[in-house]
Amino acid sequence: MQKIFDEVTSLDKRCYEEFFLTEDILMEHASNSIALYINQNLFDKKSILIVCGSGNNGADGIALARLLSSKFEVNLYLANEPKSYMAQQQFKRVKALNIKIIDEIFEADIIVDCLFGTGLNKPLDEKFINLINTLNSYNSFKIACDIPSGINSLGQVNTIAFESDITITMGALKTSLFSDVSKDYVGEIIVVNLGVQRDIYEIEANKFLLDESDMKLPFRNKKNSHKGSYGHLNVVAGCKKGAGIIAAKAAFGFGTGLVSVVCHENLDLPYHIMQTHFISENCSAIAIGMGLGKYETDEIRKILNKPIPKIIDADLFHDKLICEVLDQEIVLTPHPKEFISLLKLCEIADVSIEELQNNRFLYVEKFCKKYPNVVVVLKGANVIIAQNEKQYVNSFGSAVLSKGGSGDVLSGLIGSLLAQGYKPLESAITASLAHTLGAKNYKKNNYSLIPSDLVEEIRKL
Ligand SMILES: NC(=O)C1=CN([C@@H]2O[C@H](COP(=O)(O)OP(=O)(O)OC[C@H]3O[C@@H](n4cnc5c(N)ncnc54)[C@H](OP(=O)(O)O)[C@@H]3O)[C@@H](O)[C@H]2O)[C@@H](O)CC1
Ligand SMILES: [K+]
């Protein structure tokens, strides 16, 4: 996994003060890294439009123009006068080299967006909205320098942002690149060094970007084992029984030895899934909430109070009952609408979905501060998995998963690992990664996935 930082100004400052690097050295590495990417990956292109703002993001772009000027047809556009010290220095250098500065933008093979980076500090005015709109309309290969212009430090987009194919970000990953809103703008994200290796540039962090290697699939090491060695998951089914059945099938395919659906009515289940009317004697984990609908509160309370690992989903996030069990080390898998209900029930915040989506990391942090034992999996374009002070981002998700039933598969996967004895946090991380990477492997198209396809792909991981 890779560290993510809310801000990097203090990390840049540490480079000056502790490693005696200058702003100029850092910037030369920043601009050189973009030049290197273009030289190595886009050498067949001819023209480049570099669009610069007045601060150091703009300065990166002006330096880039100097580095690429003899190899490409470079068109440098300064949207505002260079204002920061480094922007003025870089400007002096390109002027001395007679590099072409254009007054009007036009489409080029490559666009590099150097309008605003970490310094965006107010909403864009009409001039910049129009400029970014025009850039977005071009059919060029689009590179964002550090951060797509228009995304602020909290990962919010006020009106518009640059839609990049790739974001080359300086020094370390930033939280703002992983808001749900940012997902439509950042493209592929590449981190480059600023004169010291990344592990030296970076300090301790509480946020992490998950990599594929963080998925620890439940491979079996014991040769002398039987089905009981791999746990017994009980999935509590409610009114919408399909949800529980989808979860049960996913859990079975993910390695749990035995899976039973708990339901008072007789169900038509696949032959390998069992049915029980009450929680099984040897139950090693419970999945509850999905499709629950109307239920007998006392019965659910009794189940929730059993000292057995649990994954809780869906309808229970709208019931005060949930607050009674938040001291347990349980896994909760709310989507944004369910999470705002949970925040309200727990008297943490009464906010709209928009407010939550604009500040996902913040509200997860507030929740985990109050309930440090709970593992939260906040669904979204970038899933946040959190416990206590640590937050993990799974950015492998895609629109393929935006379907009824996808969440039930996830609950089943988490329940499966809990039943097999994995810890709640590791269960949530591996299950979430398997869920999104399985969906990524579904190659037919991005609209037709059904839960059984997803389970099939996950079984092949
Ligand atoms: N520090 C380092 O060592 C290194 C830094 N590096 C690079 O520096 C970047 C950060 O630079 P930065 O701090 O100068 O901020 P930046 O993003 O250029 O924006 C500030 C400028 O924009 C203006 N402005 C803001 N909002 C606006 C708006 N809505 N509409 C209009 N104008 C607006 C603002 O104007 P002002 O507020 O002063 O009026 C100011 O002039 C960072 O992302 C990375 O790319 C790398 O080279 C590595 C080494
Ligand atoms: K930018």
Side-chain angles (χ1 to χ4, degrees):
M1 57 186 79
Q2 304 170 60
K3 292 175 181 173
I4 303 178
F5 295 88
D6 290 346
E7 59 84 27
V8 290
T9 310
S10 59
L11 303 187
D12 288 343
K13 204 163 160 237
R14 190 165 150 266
C15 285
Y16 315 145
E17 288 170 1
E18 291 184 26
F19 312 134
F20 309 107
L21 299 171
T22 61
E23 211 175 12
D24 214 351
I25 293 177
L26 265 60
M27 190 167 286
E28 211 56 28
H29 278 85
S31 49
N32 247 301
S33 306
I34 304 180
L36 188 68
Y37 179 87
I38 292 174
N39 279 323
Q40 284 181 345
N41 299 283
L42 304 168
F43 48 80
D44 54 334
K45 311 269 186 214
K46 287 192 178 66
S47 57
I48 305 184
L49 170 65
I50 305 175
V51 184
C52 300
S54 52
N56 283 351
N57 197 250
D60 287 348
I62 305 175
L64 179 68
R66 166 168 50 82
L67 294 169
L68 293 177
S69 66
S70 63
K71 222 169 172 183
F72 292 87
E73 181 202 319
V74 172
N75 301 288
L76 179 61
Y77 178 77
L78 306 178
N80 271 348
E81 291 278 292
K83 198 161 143 192
S84 71
Y85 170 75
M86 278 312 301
Q88 289 176 5
Q89 287 298 103
Q90 299 294 4
F91 185 57
K92 266 194 225 163
R93 293 170 187 167
V94 291
K95 269 190 36 190
L97 287 163
N98 279 325
I99 286 165
K100 189 163 85 183
I101 297 176
I102 55 171
D103 296 328
E104 257 182 62
I105 56 164
F106 48 82
E107 190 162 339
D109 297 337
I110 303 169
I111 300 177
V112 189
D113 152 42
C114 304
L115 283 171
F116 312 111
T118 51
L120 183 77
N121 54 16
K122 49 187 172 266
L124 301 172
D125 65 13
E126 217 177 313
K127 169 181 146 183
F128 283 105
I129 293 172
N130 290 339
L131 175 58
I132 293 176
N133 232 331
T134 309
L135 295 174
N136 285 345
S137 73
Y138 290 160
N139 196 21
S140 317
F141 185 87
K142 301 191 181 84
I143 301 175
C145 170
D146 204 17
I147 247 179
S149 297
I151 299 180
N152 71 14
S153 61
L154 297 171
Q156 301 160 347
V157 173
N158 189 267
T159 40
I160 193 171
F162 183 72
E163 290 165 6
S164 50
D165 293 299
I166 173 172
T167 295
I168 298 182
T169 202
M170 308 309 166
L173 292 171
K174 287 119 197 147
T175 311
S176 54
L177 297 171
F178 299 101
S179 68
D180 274 13
V181 177
S182 292
K183 188 119 176 175
D184 278 318
Y185 301 97
V186 292
E188 186 192 346
I189 299 170
I190 296 182
V191 185
V192 293
N193 293 340
L194 290 178
V196 283
Q197 288 299 313
R198 199 165 153 198
D199 57 338
I200 299 172
Y201 178 81
E202 293 180 340
I203 54 171
E204 287 292 299
N206 279 332
K207 291 192 178 80
F208 304 89
L209 177 68
L210 295 172
D211 293 323
E212 213 168 317
S213 60
D214 296 311
M215 177 174 67
K216 311 285 182 214
L217 293 171
F219 292 109
R220 299 174 168 192
N221 303 320
K222 274 194 271 175
K223 292 194 179 87
N224 178 19
S225 71
H226 55 86
K227 62 190 177 213
S229 313
Y230 304 103
H232 185 177
L233 176 70
N234 278 195
V235 181
V236 180
C239 294
K240 288 168 245 148
K241 296 170 196 71
I245 298 171
I246 291 171
K249 285 182 181 172
F252 197 84
F254 211 42
T256 311
L258 296 164
V259 178
S260 298
V261 177
V262 186
C263 189
H264 296 317
E265 279 172 47
N266 284 336
L267 300 172
D268 184 18
L269 292 169
Y271 62 90
H272 53 283
I273 308 282
M274 301 180 293
Q275 174 163 6
T276 164
H277 294 284
F278 301 98
I279 297 294
S280 316
E281 285 272 305
N282 62 349
C283 168
S284 58
I286 297 170
I288 185 167
M290 53 298 274
L292 206 53
K294 281 200 166 54
Y295 46 83
E296 179 58 48
T297 302
D298 281 341
E299 189 185 357
I300 298 298
R301 178 179 280 123
K302 247 192 221 158
I303 297 175
L304 290 177
N305 280 310
K306 284 189 185 290
I308 297 174
K310 272 172 229 87
I311 138 84
I312 301 179
D313 191 20
D315 294 346
L316 282 173
F317 299 133
H318 298 289
D319 190 330
K320 192 92 187 138
L321 193 56
I322 186 93
C323 304
E324 296 175 18
V325 293
L326 295 177
D327 56 333
Q328 296 181 27
E329 196 179 357
I330 46 176
V331 182
L332 308 181
T333 53
H335 58 54
K337 198 170 165 201
E338 290 160 351
F339 195 53
I340 59 169
S341 164
L342 193 57
L343 289 169
K344 193 171 173 190
L345 288 173
C346 300
E347 295 174 359
I348 293 172
D350 184 359
V351 292
S352 64
I353 294 193
E354 196 189 359
E355 165 67 15
L356 168 70
Q357 285 300 84
N358 270 326
N359 299 283
R360 286 165 59 87
F361 292 99
L362 174 74
Y363 286 107
V364 169
E365 189 181 321
K366 282 178 190 268
F367 185 87
C368 291
K369 206 168 179 183
K370 187 158 180 185
Y371 302 108
N373 290 333
V374 172
V375 174
V376 179
V377 179
L378 176 58
K379 293 168 184 165
N382 289 314
V383 181
I384 302 175
I385 301 155
Q387 186 176 33
N388 202 348
E389 288 176 346
K390 300 259 193 307
Q391 300 190 346
Y392 305 85
V393 180
N394 175 2
S395 67
F396 293 109
S398 70
V400 180
L401 283 167
S402 307
K403 282 278 182 86
S406 293
D408 304 321
V409 172
L410 177 65
S411 303
L413 299 178
I414 296 172
S416 175
L417 295 179
L418 289 174
Q420 291 174 69
Y422 292 88
K423 295 222 171 323
L425 182 62
E426 59 184 358
S427 299
I429 287 176
T430 286
S432 174
L433 287 170
H435 190 241
T436 48
L437 292 169
K440 211 171 149 199
N441 289 346
Y442 177 75
K443 298 286 185 227
K444 214 177 260 182
N445 54 50
N446 69 357
Y447 60 83
S448 66
L449 180 105
I450 58 174
S452 55
D453 296 327
L454 182 55
V455 172
E456 271 315 297
E457 293 297 344
I458 292 163
R459 289 177 60 206
K460 287 188 272 182
L461 284 171

